[in-house]
C-alpha cells in the first residue's frame, strides 16, 4: 500500500493526541455502564464522540453496539 513511508495509507498515519479531561472521563463512565464495556474501550468511544470523529476503526465487535458513533471493522 502506498501513501506513507510505513506503507500504510496516509489516513492511518495522521493522528491527534487528545488529553483525557474530566468531561471525557464522565462520558466514558456513562458509556461503560450503559454498554458494559471495558474501561479502555469506553474511553476510546467517549473520546471519539467528544472530538466528533467520523468513525472509530476497530476489530472489537462489542463496540458496534454503541449508538451515536459509526464503528468500522470486520463484519
Amino acid at each position: 500500500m502506498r501513501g506513507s513511508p510505513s506503507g500504510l495509507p496516509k489516513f492511518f498515519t495522521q493522528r491527534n493526541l487528545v488529553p483525557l479531561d474530566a468531561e471525557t472521563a464522565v462520558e466514558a463512565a456513562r458509556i461503560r455502564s450503559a454498554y458494559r464495556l471495558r474501561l479502555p474501550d469506553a474511553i476510546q468511544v467517549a473520546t471519539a464522540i467528544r472530538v466528533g470523529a467520523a468513525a472509530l476503526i476497530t476489530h472489537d465487535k462489542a463496540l458496534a453496539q454503541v449508538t451515536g458513533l459509526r464503528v468500522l471493522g470486520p463484519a
Side-chain angles (χ1 to χ4, degrees), residues 1-16 55-59 72-74:
M1 296 175 83
R2 293 185 179 169
S4 71
S6 66
L8 293 173
K10 187 175 181 180
F11 63 86
F12 281 126
T13 61
Q14 295 175 341
R15 58 197 163 274
N16 295 322
L56 179 66
I57 301 171
T58 181
H59 278 73
L72 302 176

Side-chain angles (χ1 to χ4, degrees), residues 15-74:
R15 58 197 163 274
N16 295 322
L17 295 178
V18 180
L20 178 59
D21 58 19
E23 292 85 10
T24 304
V26 169
E27 180 67 5
R30 185 195 66 75
I31 290 168
R32 181 177 188 224
S33 176
Y35 296 102
R36 302 184 54 83
L37 296 176
R38 297 176 314 142
L39 183 57
D41 294 334
I43 291 170
Q44 290 177 15
V45 169
T47 301
I49 291 170
R50 290 192 39 89
V51 301
L56 179 66
I57 301 171
T58 181
H59 278 73
D60 191 338
K61 293 178 183 177
L63 301 186
Q65 66 180 319
V66 177
T67 57
L69 176 66
R70 185 175 178 205
V71 177
L72 302 176

